[in-house]
Amino acid sequence: MSDTAIDTRELGEKIVKVIKTIYDPEIPVDIYELGLIYDVLVNEDSDVKILMTLTSPNCPVAETLPVEVEEKVKSINSVNDAEVEITFDPPWTQDLMSEEAKLELGML
């Protein structure tokens, strides 16, 4: 395995840690555990693309949450650039939440 492969995996883990500091304002669970992050892609140039969704298209933080994710990810030293893409395909459902999130919300 090359150094680059290790670096991108390590960077991916750092990105997830940062994403786990971002909370949905209406739910006391971070957006990663909520299942709002569909994919984190890191290339060899340390450019990051994050595919995420929102709990609904009318989510009150639809304008600010993706910007917060992008800014926090860009603040990681080894990240060159970051872009957040919002998708509603597939639409978010409670099934996407982690066990931890379901426990936190009293669903287990």
Side-chain angles (χ1 to χ4, degrees):
M1 189 185 274
S2 70
D3 288 347
T4 310
I6 294 164
D7 290 349
T8 54
R9 191 178 70 235
E10 246 175 60
L11 186 53
E13 287 169 10
K14 279 186 191 168
I15 292 164
V16 168
K17 271 189 193 155
V18 166
I19 290 172
K20 284 185 171 198
T21 68
I22 303 169
Y23 286 76
D24 183 301
E26 296 176 347
I27 309 168
V29 176
D30 72 75
I31 63 172
Y32 190 83
E33 297 298 336
L34 272 179
L36 297 182
I37 304 298
Y38 286 169
D39 212 348
V40 175
L41 306 161
V42 182
N43 70 14
E44 289 82 26
D45 298 325
S46 297
D47 292 325
V48 179
K49 183 164 185 179
I50 297 165
L51 186 62
M52 68 177 286
T53 194
L54 301 166
T55 51
S56 83
N58 307 323
C59 179
V61 291
E63 298 297 312
T64 56
L65 197 58
V67 173
E68 184 181 354
V69 170
E70 205 167 276
E71 285 173 355
K72 285 202 174 171
V73 170
K74 280 182 182 175
S75 76
I76 300 169
N77 286 341
S78 38
V79 169
N80 179 43
D81 195 17
E83 178 192 344
V84 172
E85 184 180 324
I86 299 291
T87 184
F88 291 101
D89 182 27
W92 181 84
T93 66
Q94 293 181 344
D95 295 339
L96 296 170
M97 296 188 328
S98 69
E99 297 289 308
E100 184 181 313
K102 288 177 183 171
L103 193 63
E104 180 73 33
L105 298 173
M107 297 169 70
L108 286 179

